[in-house]
Amino acid sequence: NAGVTQTPKFQVLKTGQSMTLQCAQDMNHEYMSWYRQDPGMGLRLIHYSVGAGITDQGEVPNGYNVSRSTTEDFPLRLLSAAPSQTSVYFCASAQADYGYTFGSGTRLTVV
Amino acid sequence: GEDVEQSLFLSVREGDSSVINCTYTDSSSTYLYWYKQEPGAGLQLLTYIFSNMDMKQDQRLTVLLNKKDKHLSLRIADTQTGDSAIYFCAEAGKLIFGQGTELSVKP
């Protein structure tokens, strides 16, 4: 039982490049979400999903896309990376009202 | 709106008690959670309290819930340097986290 797995752990991108952050969970959780964490800003919600085929925007969705074709996977796509997207990204999953299980994070630097 | 508020910093001496406070807005929350984030790591669920409880004790941790004031607190007894971390409170079913409280434990 691996929980929530995020890949890669570290990534450096050049401005304008695109990439996909991967997130997979093996707990059959309905809810999945992506957050970014910046110093002094806490966790900010980017996008979330309440089930396969259903996604919605969070607080800071601009510049990011998501899809949820399966229960297990919830990839986050950066369309055209900008230095303002330098951050630590966390994926989390949960079943209904229970607490979230977080991945270990992806540290992204955009130069 | 859905806002969870916490104070940003708390500094204590090793062996003292720490109290981390949180206010929330949604009185219909069924569970309230405390998460711990150690440096360079993701968030881990530390403890939780069901909304029909006033208090929950789990070894060195005590969670107090005041539903009338929508106030949640986490007390850590005999605080150790290993307790240094950022602590987040969160409401069940809600995706919004506060800024977290950074606990610094000095020897």
Side-chain angles (χ1 to χ4, degrees):
Chain A
N1 194 342
V4 178
T5 303
Q6 287 185 240
T7 56
K9 292 192 183 306
F10 301 94
Q11 183 70 49
V12 179
L13 287 180
K14 292 184 178 177
T15 297
Q17 285 185 315
S18 62
M19 80 158 294
T20 299
L21 306 186
Q22 301 292 344
C23 176
Q25 54 95 3
D26 60 0
M27 298 169 284
N28 204 31
H29 284 173
E30 296 173 353
Y31 298 171
M32 296 187 75
S33 53
W34 276 102
Y35 298 87
R36 59 177 290 173
Q37 187 175 30
D38 303 292
M41 302 292 289
L43 287 169
R44 290 186 291 170
L45 180 65
I46 305 172
H47 285 284
Y48 66 98
S49 169
V50 298
I54 306 169
T55 64
D56 208 345
Q57 296 181 348
E59 304 169 87
V60 289
N62 291 341
Y64 307 95
N65 273 357
V66 292
S67 60
R68 184 99 179 266
S69 55
T70 66
T71 300
E72 295 78 19
D73 299 301
F74 191 44
L76 178 72
R77 296 182 189 84
L78 278 70
L79 308 172
S80 177
S84 61
Q85 293 178 304
T86 293
S87 187
V88 181
Y89 291 84
F90 289 101
C91 178
S93 73
Q95 186 65 20
D97 271 357
Y98 295 102
Y100 276 85
T101 301
F102 282 81
S104 56
T106 295
R107 189 173 295 272
L108 176 69
T109 302
V110 182
V111 298
Chain B
E2 298 175 3
D3 266 359
V4 173
E5 294 190 359
Q6 300 176 236
S7 52
L8 294 182
F9 299 103
L10 176 65
S11 181
V12 302
R13 293 226 172 260
E14 194 171 23
D16 287 350
S17 292
S18 308
V19 179
I20 301 171
N21 295 302
C22 168
T23 57
Y24 61 97
T25 57
D26 189 348
S27 58
S28 67
S29 293
T30 52
Y31 290 92
L32 291 133
Y33 299 97
W34 283 104
Y35 289 84
K36 177 182 180 183
Q37 183 183 30
E38 296 183 351
L43 278 70
Q44 289 185 301
L45 184 60
L46 188 63
T47 188
Y48 65 93
I49 187 167
F50 190 52
S51 60
N52 69 352
M53 298 169 66
D54 297 324
M55 184 180 83
K56 178 182 177 183
Q57 187 140 8
D58 184 1
Q59 298 183 329
R60 292 190 297 121
L61 305 178
T62 303
V63 180
L64 296 177
L65 176 60
N66 181 331
K67 286 194 72 174
K68 174 176 169 292
D69 294 337
K70 296 178 187 169
H71 183 264
L72 183 73
S73 68
L74 173 69
R75 178 176 180 269
I76 305 173
D78 187 25
T79 312
Q80 303 297 306
T81 54
D83 295 322
S84 292
I86 302 175
Y87 291 82
F88 293 89
C89 68
E91 302 175 67
K94 300 294 189 293
L95 298 161
I96 305 298
F97 288 75
Q99 290 186 314
T101 299
E102 183 174 347
L103 173 64
S104 173
V105 182
K106 300 190 186 316

